[in-house]
Amino acid sequence: MKKFAVLPILAGLALSAAACSGSDSGSAAPSNSTAPADPAPSMTSAATEPFGAACSAVPMSGKGSFTGMATDPVATAASNNPVLSTLVTAVKKAGLVDTLNSATNITVFAPTNDAFAKIPKADLDKVLADKKKLTSILTYHVVGQPVAPNALSSGSFKTLQGGTVNTSGSGEAYKVNDANVVCGNVKTANATVYIVDSVLMPKM
């Protein structure tokens, strides 16, 4: 099996949205003026939590909950989440469980079961039976660095497969290529996960 080396990235997920509010005007402001409250803390706080409509499908407690997933490496965490069972099957067939679990500070764009269901069954069965093609597709969903939500607004990230994914959007509405992020910023012990509604397909 082809090994994918993931360079550890110094974890610095400092969300820099707070830097955009100008409070450096110094002595120019009258002493009796009331400065507007800086909205940055609440924005930063919100950005550190999972977001998106599909987050409601994640179990509220147990190993498959957000709290439970945060304590396990990404492949193990996904195996405890019922909305990612098809992805987990694919990862096992490709022999990538250990590769993903041993990686550090990665980002995974994880297709839901419904995302895989969009692929005709005959085509999906062929992919699942072709380990080389399956590995290429799955590693295209993995970026070898942490990606914070605000970095998705306009980004291009190299994947472990070798190709790039392009991201766009704002607030809580982001796209990865043509897929929508339906539950974002999910933390596992070694990864940031963005659950998406379509399977990302690399150029073959």
Side-chain angles (χ1 to χ4, degrees):
M1 181 186 72
K2 190 174 180 181
K3 290 281 186 179
F4 294 91
V6 181
L7 294 176
I9 307 297
L10 291 176
L13 294 183
L15 305 179
S16 57
C20 63
S21 176
S23 56
D24 296 342
S25 51
S27 59
S31 59
N32 63 350
S33 64
T34 303
D38 186 354
S42 62
M43 290 169 60
T44 302
S45 176
T48 63
E49 300 296 326
F51 62 85
C55 289
S56 61
V58 175
M60 296 293 293
S61 61
K63 298 292 284 183
S65 67
F66 292 130
T67 301
M69 291 176 72
T71 64
D72 287 322
V74 64
T76 301
S79 71
N80 293 317
N81 192 315
V83 302
L84 300 175
S85 58
T86 306
L87 173 62
V88 171
T89 296
V91 167
K92 289 179 178 178
K93 283 184 174 290
L96 291 173
V97 172
D98 289 342
T99 299
L100 293 176
N101 277 348
S102 62
T104 56
N105 295 324
I106 59 175
T107 296
V108 176
F109 300 108
T112 63
N113 296 340
D114 289 341
F116 281 99
K118 293 179 181 179
I119 303 172
K121 186 177 185 304
D123 294 339
L124 181 58
D125 288 344
K126 285 181 180 178
V127 170
L128 291 174
D130 186 336
K131 188 174 181 179
K132 182 178 180 181
K133 182 177 287 188
L134 181 60
T135 298
S136 179
I137 292 171
L138 292 176
T139 54
Y140 184 63
H141 290 73
V142 184
V143 173
Q145 68 183 67
V147 179
N150 61 350
L152 295 176
S153 59
S154 179
S156 181
F157 303 97
K158 186 173 182 179
T159 70
L160 298 193
Q161 183 266 350
T164 58
V165 292
N166 299 306
T167 62
S168 60
S170 62
E172 295 186 356
Y174 294 101
K175 294 181 77 72
V176 184
N177 292 351
D178 293 326
N180 296 298
V181 174
V182 293
C183 183
N185 206 34
V186 178
K187 301 298 184 181
T188 74
N190 67 329
T192 300
V193 178
Y194 294 92
I195 300 175
V196 295
D197 66 356
S198 296
V199 176
L200 309 177
M201 299 301 292
K203 294 179 180 179
M204 297 292 190

